[in-house]
Coordinates of all heavy atoms in Angstrom, one line a residue:
Y3 N 0.9 -1.1 0.0 CA 0.0 0.0 0.1 C 1.0 1.2 0.0 O 1.7 1.4 0.9 CB -0.8 0.0 1.3 CG -1.9 1.0 1.2 CD1 -3.0 0.8 0.4 CD2 -2.0 2.0 2.2 CE1 -4.1 1.8 0.5 CE2 -3.0 3.0 2.2 CZ -4.1 2.8 1.4 OH -5.1 3.7 1.4
S4 N 0.8 2.0 -1.1 CA 1.9 2.9 -1.3 C 1.4 4.2 -2.1 O 0.5 4.1 -2.8 CB 3.1 2.3 -2.1 OG 4.0 3.3 -2.3
Q5 N 2.0 5.4 -1.6 CA 1.8 6.5 -2.4 C 2.9 6.8 -3.5 O 2.7 7.5 -4.4 CB 1.9 7.8 -1.5 CG 0.7 7.8 -0.4 CD 1.0 9.0 0.6 OE1 1.9 8.9 1.4 NE2 0.1 9.9 0.6
S6 N 4.0 6.1 -3.3 CA 5.1 6.3 -4.2 C 5.5 5.2 -5.0 O 6.3 5.2 -6.0 CB 6.4 6.6 -3.3 OG 6.7 5.5 -2.6
G7 N 4.9 3.9 -4.8 CA 5.3 2.7 -5.5 C 6.3 2.0 -4.8 O 6.5 0.7 -5.0
G8 N 6.9 2.5 -3.7 CA 7.8 1.8 -2.8 C 7.2 1.6 -1.5 O 6.1 2.1 -1.2
F9 N 7.9 1.0 -0.5 CA 7.5 0.5 0.7 C 7.2 1.7 1.6 O 8.0 2.6 1.7 CB 8.4 -0.4 1.4 CG 8.1 -0.8 2.8 CD1 7.0 -1.6 3.0 CD2 8.7 -0.2 3.9 CE1 6.6 -2.0 4.3 CE2 8.3 -0.5 5.2 CZ 7.3 -1.4 5.4
Q10 N 6.0 1.8 2.2 CA 5.7 2.8 3.2 C 4.9 2.3 4.4 O 4.1 3.1 5.0 CB 4.8 3.8 2.4 CG 5.4 4.6 1.3 CD 4.6 5.8 0.8 OE1 3.8 5.6 0.0 NE2 4.8 6.9 1.4
G11 N 5.4 1.1 4.8 CA 4.9 0.6 6.1 C 3.8 -0.4 6.0 O 3.5 -0.9 7.1
L12 N 3.2 -0.5 4.9 CA 2.1 -1.5 4.8 C 2.3 -2.5 3.7 O 2.4 -2.1 2.5 CB 0.8 -0.7 4.5 CG 0.2 0.3 5.6 CD1 -0.9 1.1 5.0 CD2 -0.2 -0.5 6.7
S13 N 2.4 -3.7 4.1 CA 2.6 -4.8 3.0 C 1.6 -5.9 3.4 O 1.2 -6.1 4.5 CB 4.1 -5.3 3.0 OG 4.5 -5.7 4.2
F14 N 1.3 -6.8 2.3 CA 0.3 -7.8 2.5 C 0.8 -9.1 1.9 O 1.4 -9.1 0.8 CB -1.1 -7.3 1.8 CG -1.5 -6.0 2.3 CD1 -1.2 -4.8 1.8 CD2 -2.4 -6.0 3.4 CE1 -1.7 -3.6 2.3 CE2 -2.9 -4.9 3.9 CZ -2.6 -3.6 3.3
A15 N 0.6 -10.1 2.7 CA 1.0 -11.4 2.3 C -0.2 -12.4 2.3 O -1.1 -12.3 3.1 CB 2.1 -12.0 3.3
I16 N -0.2 -13.3 1.3 CA -1.2 -14.4 1.1 C -0.8 -15.5 2.2 O 0.2 -16.1 2.2 CB -1.2 -15.0 -0.3 CG1 -1.4 -13.8 -1.4 CG2 -2.2 -16.1 -0.5 CD1 -1.0 -14.3 -2.7
P17 N -1.7 -15.9 3.0 CA -1.5 -16.9 4.0 C -1.1 -18.2 3.2 O -1.7 -18.6 2.2 CB -2.9 -17.1 4.7 CG -3.5 -15.8 4.5 CD -3.1 -15.3 3.2
I18 N -0.1 -18.9 3.8 CA 0.5 -20.1 3.2 C -0.6 -21.2 3.0 O -0.5 -22.0 2.1 CB 1.7 -20.6 3.9 CG1 2.4 -21.6 3.1 CG2 1.3 -21.1 5.3 CD1 3.0 -21.1 1.7
D19 N -1.6 -21.3 4.0 CA -2.5 -22.3 3.8 C -3.4 -22.2 2.6 O -3.8 -23.1 1.9 CB -3.4 -22.5 5.2 CG -4.0 -21.3 5.5 OD1 -3.7 -20.1 5.0 OD2 -5.0 -21.2 6.4
V20 N -3.7 -20.9 2.3 CA -4.4 -20.5 1.1 C -3.6 -21.1 -0.2 O -4.1 -21.7 -1.1 CB -4.7 -19.1 0.9 CG1 -5.3 -18.8 -0.5 CG2 -5.7 -18.7 2.1
A21 N -2.3 -20.7 -0.2 CA -1.4 -21.0 -1.2 C -1.3 -22.6 -1.4 O -1.2 -23.0 -2.6 CB -0.1 -20.4 -1.0
L22 N -1.3 -23.3 -0.4 CA -1.0 -24.8 -0.4 C -2.3 -25.4 -1.0 O -2.2 -26.5 -1.8 CB -0.7 -25.4 1.0 CG 0.6 -25.0 1.5 CD1 0.8 -25.6 2.9 CD2 1.8 -25.5 0.6
K23 N -3.4 -25.0 -0.7 CA -4.7 -25.5 -1.4 C -4.6 -25.3 -2.8 O -5.0 -26.2 -3.6 CB -5.9 -24.8 -0.7 CG -6.3 -25.2 0.7 CD -7.6 -24.6 1.1 CE -7.9 -25.0 2.6 NZ -9.2 -24.2 3.1
V24 N -4.3 -24.1 -3.3 CA -4.1 -23.9 -4.7 C -3.1 -24.7 -5.3 O -3.2 -25.3 -6.3 CB -4.0 -22.3 -4.9 CG1 -3.6 -22.0 -6.4 CG2 -5.1 -21.5 -4.4
K25 N -1.9 -24.8 -4.7 CA -0.8 -25.5 -5.2 C -1.2 -27.0 -5.4 O -0.9 -27.6 -6.3 CB 0.4 -25.5 -4.2 CG 1.6 -26.2 -4.6 CD 1.7 -27.7 -4.1 CE 1.9 -27.7 -2.5 NZ 2.1 -29.2 -2.0
D26 N -1.9 -27.6 -4.4 CA -2.2 -29.1 -4.5 C -3.2 -29.2 -5.7 O -3.1 -30.2 -6.5 CB -3.0 -29.5 -3.3 CG -2.0 -29.6 -2.1 OD1 -0.8 -29.7 -2.4 OD2 -2.4 -29.7 -1.0
Q27 N -4.2 -28.4 -5.9 CA -5.1 -28.4 -7.1 C -4.3 -28.4 -8.4 O -4.5 -29.1 -9.3 CB -6.1 -27.4 -7.1 CG -7.1 -27.5 -5.9 CD -8.3 -26.5 -6.0 OE1 -9.1 -26.6 -7.0 NE2 -8.4 -25.7 -5.0
I28 N -3.4 -27.4 -8.4 CA -2.6 -27.2 -9.7 C -1.7 -28.4 -10.0 O -1.6 -28.8 -11.1 CB -1.8 -25.9 -9.7 CG1 -2.7 -24.7 -9.7 CG2 -0.7 -25.8 -10.7 CD1 -2.0 -23.3 -9.6
V29 N -1.0 -28.9 -9.0 CA -0.1 -30.0 -9.2 C -1.0 -31.3 -9.7 O -0.6 -32.1 -10.5 CB 0.6 -30.5 -7.9 CG1 1.3 -31.7 -8.0 CG2 1.6 -29.3 -7.6
A30 N -2.2 -31.4 -9.2 CA -3.1 -32.6 -9.4 C -3.7 -32.4 -10.8 O -3.8 -33.4 -11.6 CB -4.1 -32.8 -8.4
T31 N -4.2 -31.2 -11.1 CA -5.1 -31.1 -12.3 C -4.6 -30.0 -13.3 O -5.2 -29.9 -14.3 CB -6.5 -30.8 -11.9 OG1 -6.5 -29.5 -11.3 CG2 -7.1 -31.8 -10.8
G32 N -3.7 -29.2 -12.8 CA -3.2 -28.1 -13.7 C -4.0 -26.8 -13.6 O -3.8 -25.8 -14.3
R33 N -5.0 -26.7 -12.6 CA -5.8 -25.6 -12.5 C -6.3 -25.6 -11.0 O -6.2 -26.5 -10.2 CB -7.0 -25.5 -13.5 CG -7.8 -26.8 -13.3 CD -9.3 -26.5 -13.9 NE -10.0 -25.5 -13.2 CZ -11.2 -25.1 -13.6 NH1 -11.8 -25.5 -14.6 NH2 -11.8 -24.2 -12.8
A34 N -6.8 -24.5 -10.7 CA -7.5 -24.3 -9.3 C -8.9 -23.9 -9.6 O -9.2 -23.0 -10.5 CB -6.7 -23.3 -8.5
S35 N -9.8 -24.4 -8.8 CA -11.2 -24.1 -8.9 C -11.7 -23.5 -7.6 O -11.2 -23.9 -6.5 CB -12.0 -25.4 -9.3 OG -11.9 -26.3 -8.3
H36 N -12.7 -22.6 -7.7 CA -13.2 -21.9 -6.5 C -14.7 -22.0 -6.5 O -15.3 -21.9 -7.5 CB -12.7 -20.4 -6.5 CG -11.2 -20.3 -6.5 ND1 -10.4 -20.4 -5.3 CD2 -10.3 -20.1 -7.5 CE1 -9.2 -20.3 -5.7 NE2 -9.1 -20.1 -7.0

């Protein structure tokens, strides 16, 4: 979250459990469904 395009104290990360669910679907089928 930035006014300048660089870091200004607010950053956001995707929780790893969300990423692992997507990863497992992609490895198994080539895609993720929601």
Side-chain angles (χ1 to χ4, degrees):
Y3 190 68
S4 175
Q5 295 170 296
S6 64
F9 175 72
Q10 289 189 275
L12 296 171
S13 58
F14 300 90
I16 302 163
I18 192 63
D19 54 348
V20 172
L22 291 176
K23 287 182 179 180
V24 173
K25 181 266 293 183
D26 289 344
Q27 291 186 64
I28 287 175
V29 169
T31 68
R33 58 163 292 177
S35 58
H36 302 276

